[in-house]
Amino acid sequence: MIKFEKVNFTYQPNTPFASRALFDIDLEVKSGSYTAIIGHTGSGKSTLLQHLNGLLQPTEGTVAVDEIVIQSSSKAKEIKPVRKKVGVVFQFPEAQLFEETVLKDVAFGPQNFGVSEEEALKTAREKLVLVGLAEEFWEKSPFELSGGQMRRVAIAGILAMEPEVLVLDEPTAGLDPKARIEMMALFETIHQAGQTVVLVTHNMDDVANYADYVYLLEKGHIISCGEPHDVFQDVNFLVSHELGVPKSTEFAVALAKRGVHFDKLPITRDELVKKLITLKNGDLTKLSKTDSALSDENASSGGATNE
């Protein structure tokens, strides 16, 4: 488990350039959970993420990763074990590849933590299978692969260190729609196998489809948290804070304005479809009369026309 208690962080403290980025952050990532952290650009997500594995240390407060407590006075040797417990997949992780073959690149991390070459290569093979990269690529240079394949290699390299927590920073950035779906399905498979996952994202649909708890950040403050089903009910609050909602929720709100009743707003496509299937004849008539208007509204707002 990871626990933040009253964490504050200031860049370049005690200088004329001091800039405070986090304010009194209280946060928990429970073992086995799929926790999402969302917020628009400048909200503090990247700063918070770097506290998860000790790349940054709190200016005030504490970050506890199991029995290891990180605070402003912590020494590098005290923090290093955290980086094995918490593996971070940064945006465009393929930029971190450097070894001459795929297999050697994936095995590098475990060896860096003292694992023998034989054991590291064995683990590397297992993780490459897990991420779906065929054996025919293992002895190739990672730079001969496609962008999606390179990302799988980078993810396998993090998994090879067998972290207790896997942190994903916008993991599908730059991928085409098919590759994005495959990547999120991979992470869900890993989570279902018992891996604790932290997802940092702008994509509300990924939060709705996969996360079991979500924190909302704005200007370094946590402004809301809870289960996605509960958080996404307050559409006006989210929109007012420029956070948006899942496409299915946006579509349901448009239907509700035209008289379709929802006991609780759906947040995934499957939930929306089930609700539409159960609509009464009268509701279906309302829906058919406003179908053209809904299509126009979603097209102009970038909404859920594909739902």
Side-chain angles (χ1 to χ4, degrees), residues 42-54:
S43 62
K45 298 192 307 297
S46 294
T47 301
L48 191 152
L49 180 153
Q50 292 179 72
H51 280 75
L52 292 170
N53 73 340

Side-chain angles (χ1 to χ4, degrees), residues 205 246-248 251 267-270 272-273 276 303-307:
D205 289 299
K247 292 184 179 68
S248 295
F251 195 86
I267 68 171
T268 68
R269 181 172 58 185
D270 287 348
L272 178 62
V273 169
L276 294 179
T305 53
N306 65 338
E307 295 285 355

